[in-house]
Amino acid sequence: MMNSSGSNSFKPSRSMRSNGDPELRAKPPLPPTVAFARRTSSGRYVSYSQDELDMSGDLSSDYMSYTVHIPPTPDNQPMDPTISAKVEEQYVSNSLFTGGFNSVTRAHLMDKVIDSESSHPQMAGAKGSSCAIEGCDCKVMSDERGEDILPCECNFKICRDCYLDAVKTGGVICPGCKEPYKNGGDLEEVGLDSERPMHLPLPPAGGMSKMERRLSLMRSTKSILMKSQTGDFDHNRWLFETKGTYGYGNAFWPNDNDGTGESPSELTSKPWRPLTRKLKIPAAVLSPYRLLILVRMVALSFFLVWRIRHPNQDAIWLWGMSVVCELWFAFSWLLDQLPKLCPVNRATDLQVLKEKFEEPGPHNPTGKSDLPGVDVFVSTADPEKEPPLVTANTILSILAADYPVEKLACYVSDDGGALLTFEAMAEAASFADLWVPFCRKHNIEPRNPESYFNTKGDPTKNKVKPDFVKDRRRVKREYDEFKVRINGLPDSIRRRSDAYHAREEIKAMKLQRQNGEEPSEAAKVPKATWMADGTHWPGTWMVPGSEHSRGDHAGIIQVMLKPPSDDPLLGTADEKLLDFTGIDTRLPLLVYVSREKRPGYDHNKKAGAMNALVRASAIMSNGPFILNLDCDHYIYNSQAMCEGMCFMMDRGGDRICYVQFPQRFEGIDPSDRYANHNTVFFDVNMRALDGLQGPVYVGTGCLFRRMALYGFDPPRATVHSGCCGRSRKVKVNSSTKKPEETQALRMGDSDDEDAQLNLSLLPKKFGNSTFLLDSIPVAEFQGRPLADHPAVKNGRPPGALTFPRDLLDASTVAEAISAISCWYEDKTEWGQRVGWIYGSVTEDVVTGYRMHNRGWKSVYCVTKRDAFRGTAPINLTDRLHQVLRWATGSVEIFFSRNNALLASPRMKFLQRIAYLNVGIYPFTSIFLIVYCFLPALSLFSGQFIVQTLDVMFLVYLLLITLTLCMLAVLEIKWSGIELEEWWRNEQFWLIGGTSAHLAAVLQGLLKVIAGIEISFTLTSKSAGEDVDDEFADLYIVKWTSLMIAPITIMMTNLIAIAVGISRTIYSVIPQWSRLLGGVFFSFWVLAHLYPFAKGLMGRRGRTPTIVFVWSGLIAITISLLWVAINPPAGSSQIGGSFQFP
């Protein structure tokens, strides 16, 4: 399939950058080439290559030659470019694009993407009528509803290319009735998009590309905002130098044809309102909280001084180890507590967002959405560990999100290149045709069908439409069938591939006989994986083959759902399965992407996949904002993106690099045994960081500003100096000498010289894709907040984003294929200073750190209804491996140049402390393990960490413990968490600290010292095999070496308690104070390890009683043996002076 048209090239019809810098154009990249062919039902290939006129290469006389674009000549005038582009988009959306390093980019037109039929007109492979011309299997032209466009009154079905042939070479004669076309061959009169003319932002000029039209629009708006003398960009000049008038707290602009400057009456009564509010913590809670922190710091200082001045001379080794550990614990607590001094809460106003961006106004008379575009990234890598049904549900929740359809695009990254994932996404796109309008009609929440249909409670609550129950029943039935199809995909693909493989073997044997060869054995044919249209899958095969394995396959892009029309497409009562009258049935753009992988290249795991999506999305849709989701994290609140956009579009939003949402999880056991909810981190630490420079990036549920991901500086930089973080705003001069690592990429708004300097460096930083380079200033302009107030800096005019999105063409997708190739990042700064940062298994923290280090701010958005929900491993072993990966990444950060000790002055002091704690916390495990063994050593030796239980020691200990408990109570008060969640976090802190964190430190040191790379497996998202028990995974015991240290600590302390009690009872002079001290701290250790011990016991009731009996007997026997081997002083027999009666 893929090599049948390998020699045909499709030259892009639009020009490259026409007015770039000469230095930039010194080594122009090769234009993307596309072999555009289609396999017909008869098995032959039809070429659709633009320049295929000489029938050269692999094409034989069996092939028919068509053109997508006909070159304009005096005797051959093409149709309207807007109509031509729209028709070409239909071909592009039905094509599977493949390509990569040293290979031609091919576009394979697919008759069908999945075995089941798809009916939505936006979907790839949508069912439709076939052309009636003999030998042509193309689809008939269709409108936005998917209905056939028939140019003749005889209703003769004809495709677009055959129609052009009839018009250009057939004398404008209908091939069916042999009568002339009454419209004279004008496609615009045929009905293609005749109901609504295309409104392009600028008239198509000769030789002007799509991206140049975007730039022209941006430049024409920006040109009036430049000062004539200095050339500096005046963000508010269009406010101050227009004829508009100002009211109290608001601003107005006159119409273009009205210079009176009179304000519309409906706006004069509306004062300017912000989109967000900062809700400070009540002083009655925050002031005592800060005071307690100070009191505990003073108490810790006095306690440590007292401990150092009062050593235990009888056991100096025990005293020394305990003092060193306590000093580290105090330092670690200080790093964790200082960033919590300024917690804040925030709130958004979605009604104000709607009024500003989606209601008619002077600059938006039609009321079209003026919100910027959002590209949603979903990443998956292994369909076995990340079930396709889970990913499909995430995709459906994105497609049904409450955000303008034409501004939303979803990109699915399949890093495994599996056909199973590809067809599951196609099935999801097909089911979205029913699910998305159903959600819009009945305002369904959540919009993940699996979660919605499994929600406990009354589904009819707040539902008022009389047909809801009927619609829900029908959609539930369709969803059950959808799940069955998804679950049956592996067997379906396997059976299909086996059938095609058997056919290919028979063909090979027949060919051998025809050549006069007697086959001595069955012909060896590579066992390929076959797609639904009967062609080879270009990605990973089930039986790995050459160039078709997990680490060796071509890049793939498939537009599953083509971009929607600009105007709503309202449903009717007689179509589909339900009555969608008055409901917008459009679906957002959905693109499947599998980047190219080749042996010998470092593909950089998830970070590399994300960067490939950044480049592909910039070329295809170029949303100025990017929402990053894991495949198991779905949108639980359909307005989550609008909530995040409130921060980005508010005053000062241009300095926000990302909006981080908290992670919420489903499927966690009610007791949350292993602190999977992690509420202390998400509701305490992250809220506290929000009061500084912003929360850290945690890998999913994050709305990025594309320009921040590109490595650019914020519009206004702030330099912080001193321990208290005293700040001053500066405008950084790009000519200042700075190290390469800290030198910022700047847009160059200050003067033309800087702009030219940066333009010349762009290919070095971003690669040689001119489409990508052209998209950067467009994304910067479209991502600016609305300049509707004099205080808004770096804003854009209202109504600037109401124009339609550009249509896709073959050269655009071909450029995207080039951008996801394995060689594209060579000699660029992708992964170094641009995009997701490489070099750490926790690329999320490093990426966020780099943005804060440049002076960006981030925001924590906690919504009333959870924004996103996902799954977390409830199995002990999986949970420990997850913590191990996080801790190893932290160790890597500490030993890298991303250490917070090397942060720039643009990062606040307390923010540095928070990032320093991120890199240091795994090292606490060393001291924690030692401290957990100290009680046992104390009981074994009969000594304690202090000489005696002095009153001052007890007072200090009591004061430190009480202040810690009171701090916990106040944290619970201002964060909203529960006491049980705080205690679970404390327990798992010790469990993780004595197991995964220690292993992370050792692995990190091995990598730094010996260069041994660390490999991790994906956390499984699949459920347990016991379908009757929702929490079956909780009771599965899977051995791992990480369990050795906690088990040893538990057994040692249990034995030590028995030994200590025996020693004290048998002693002539019992040392009860030392026993109580050792036993108290041993029980403190065991109480924290209780969830770990419970996890080792498996399912409740399944552990035999004899296990507990033998454990007790063994502990008693060992303790008696210890007393016999080392009897108490002054006694020569077992038991000393104690005798049985």
Side-chain angles (χ1 to χ4, degrees), residues 726-743:
R726 185 167 52 89
S727 61
R728 57 187 179 90
K729 292 184 178 181
V730 297
K731 190 168 185 179
V732 181
N733 189 353
S734 60
S735 61
T736 305
K737 300 297 183 181
K738 294 181 292 185
E740 179 65 20
E741 177 53 35
T742 59
Q743 185 179 2

Side-chain angles (χ1 to χ4, degrees), residues 939 949 1071-1081:
L939 291 171
L949 291 179
Q1071 299 289 334
W1072 292 104
S1073 61
R1074 294 178 180 178
L1075 173 68
L1076 290 177
V1079 170
F1080 173 79
F1081 282 108

Side-chain angles (χ1 to χ4, degrees), residues 1000-1070:
V1001 172
L1002 296 177
Q1003 289 185 349
L1005 292 175
L1006 284 175
K1007 182 178 179 180
V1008 172
I1009 298 173
I1012 301 176
E1013 286 294 332
I1014 309 161
S1015 61
F1016 291 95
T1017 56
L1018 284 172
T1019 303
S1020 177
K1021 275 81 173 179
S1022 57
E1025 297 180 359
D1026 190 351
V1027 296
D1028 297 329
D1029 191 348
E1030 183 182 358
F1031 309 116
D1033 279 352
L1034 183 67
Y1035 309 108
I1036 299 175
V1037 180
K1038 296 183 289 187
W1039 172 255
T1040 173
S1041 58
L1042 298 178
M1043 296 179 177
I1044 295 176
I1047 290 176
T1048 305
I1049 291 173
M1050 283 194 305
M1051 295 301 298
T1052 304
N1053 278 275
L1054 285 172
I1055 295 172
I1057 291 174
V1059 169
I1061 294 175
S1062 301
R1063 177 187 296 277
T1064 305
I1065 292 176
Y1066 296 160
S1067 294
V1068 178
I1069 305 175

Side-chain angles (χ1 to χ4, degrees), residues 605-660:
K605 303 181 178 65
K606 180 182 175 181
M610 290 292 99
N611 285 339
L613 286 187
V614 171
R615 297 189 295 271
S617 63
I619 294 170
M620 297 181 68
S621 56
N622 197 30
F625 296 99
I626 294 172
L627 176 63
N628 159 230
L629 293 176
D630 286 344
C631 66
D632 61 328
H633 272 73
Y634 68 91
I635 297 180
Y636 188 75
N637 182 352
S638 62
Q639 293 187 321
M641 281 181 275
C642 293
E643 298 259 11
M645 204 56 65
C646 287
F647 294 101
M648 293 295 192
M649 294 291 103
D650 203 11
R651 182 175 61 184
D654 57 328
R655 298 180 63 191
I656 296 176
C657 56
Y658 60 82
V659 177
Q660 177 66 61

Side-chain angles (χ1 to χ4, degrees), residues 151-171:
C152 186
E153 293 179 352
C154 69
N155 292 335
F156 182 79
K157 296 181 178 180
I158 187 171
C159 68
R160 178 251 185 192
D161 292 289
C162 293
Y163 176 73
L164 288 179
D165 281 347
V167 171
K168 303 300 180 182
T169 62

